[in-house]
Amino acid sequence: VLSSDNLVALYPNCKVEWEGQPLQVLTYNKDFRERNFLENIPGVFTLGEASVDAIKEIEGLAAQRDECDRKLRTANANVAKREEEIKALANERQERLWKNVFKKNEEFKMCLKGFMYKHTFEARILELLRSEIPEIIPTVEDLRNRYKVLFASESTPLVLEPLPEFIGLAEALADITNGQIWTRRIVGSDDVPIADLIKRLDIIDWVSRGKQLLQPDSDVCPFCQRKTIDQNFRNQLEAFFDENFVKDTERLSYLQRKYIELKDEGDVYFKEIIHLSESKLVDKLNVELFSTVTQLIREALMSNIDIMLSKIKNPGLKVAFKDITEYVNHLQKIIDSTNQAIKEHNLMVENISSEKDALKNDVWNYLTSLAASEVVSIQKSIKGKEIAKENHMKDASALLHT
């Protein structure tokens, strides 16, 4: 170490001028400086022999600190990035649910009250997805039919009367056509001379028709226009077409009239049901199928009326009618199905409060089943991002406690 006096002696041509009170200056040689300093430092220092090692340790710790800071910034940046990705996926999920589930089923809005905003609807769906979805989900057609009854009208829905049965009318029609008189030949008496000829020639219907055309005071035959009709022939005709013949032919006419009355009654029945289908029975009656079957029944009944007329004109004929049993059975199935729908309707009306709650629950289950396919892939991606975010946060926490 050199003092000021020594410096003057060594460097006579150099001098130090002080402003004010001179300070003591100590100069360290190169060896001492290198042993105690890593770099030139201005000013005055008094350092021990261990200073270099301490500086090296400090510099090492500083480097570790810088590396730790870099890793912490990376971890925090990764956390922020995962949060942005999760947010983007959540927005996509919300939009999908709103567009593909809510908007496409907005017809059930009375069941969705309280959840008609994007975020509330999404929250409700996610809540239901966390629970178990029922295995059996009602069809959208079933939901619509129930919704129309319970919510479509502001007034309380009405109890409906079941459709009257057609089977009774059909049985009455069948009783007429099943009568033996239609398959029995109606012929005159055997106790008159002309009976044998008429039956042998099988001209009973022709003679019967001629008797109807015969003028009371004329002896002219209505067919050949010759004067062949005398009182004796008239008497034989009256005896041949006896009381039994007259009663049977009158019976035929009566049965035809009764059959027509029942057919007309059926027409009124069909028209009334079609009218109801346009108002009270909307969505409960298969109108197209009902109209097809009833038209087939009408056509068969009209054909049977024509067959009856041919029997009346020709009592000796044996006739067979068109069977409407198959058509009636089809019609009865339609009526039974409609009445079952009416019964279910009436049960809903009688228990409207509980039925509304049940419908709301079914609507949400239906929407949740639709939503599952919309969000399953997004939920999987979000889960993966959340796990990655947690790992980054653990890394950051570990660095903070290093």
Side-chain angles (χ1 to χ4, degrees), residues 286-301:
N286 188 330
V287 178
E288 183 178 357
L289 182 59
F290 180 84
S291 298
T292 299
V293 174
T294 54
Q295 183 60 31
L296 291 172
I297 292 175
R298 286 193 188 97
E299 291 174 358
L301 297 183

Side-chain angles (χ1 to χ4, degrees), residues 37 46 87 142 149 194 200 205 218 243 255 269 292 378:
F37 299 103
T46 303
K87 183 178 179 181
D142 173 68
V149 174
I194 63 173
R200 183 158 46 85
D205 297 331
S218 173
E243 182 178 355
L255 291 175
Y269 170 85
T292 299
I378 295 179

Side-chain angles (χ1 to χ4, degrees), residues 17-56:
E17 295 181 355
W18 296 93
E19 292 182 1
Q21 182 66 32
L23 298 177
Q24 184 182 9
V25 177
L26 298 179
T27 303
Y28 306 97
N29 63 29
K30 181 179 179 182
D31 292 338
F32 182 86
R33 186 189 65 188
E34 289 178 352
R35 288 198 309 272
N36 292 278
F37 299 103
L38 294 179
E39 60 183 3
N40 293 325
I41 300 175
V44 179
F45 298 90
T46 303
L47 300 174
E49 292 290 334
S51 296
V52 172
D53 294 335
I55 291 173
K56 288 182 179 180

Side-chain angles (χ1 to χ4, degrees), residues 284 332-342:
K284 293 177 178 58
Q332 190 58 46
K333 289 180 181 179
I334 297 171
I335 293 172
D336 290 343
S337 175
T338 303
N339 282 339
Q340 180 61 32
I342 291 173

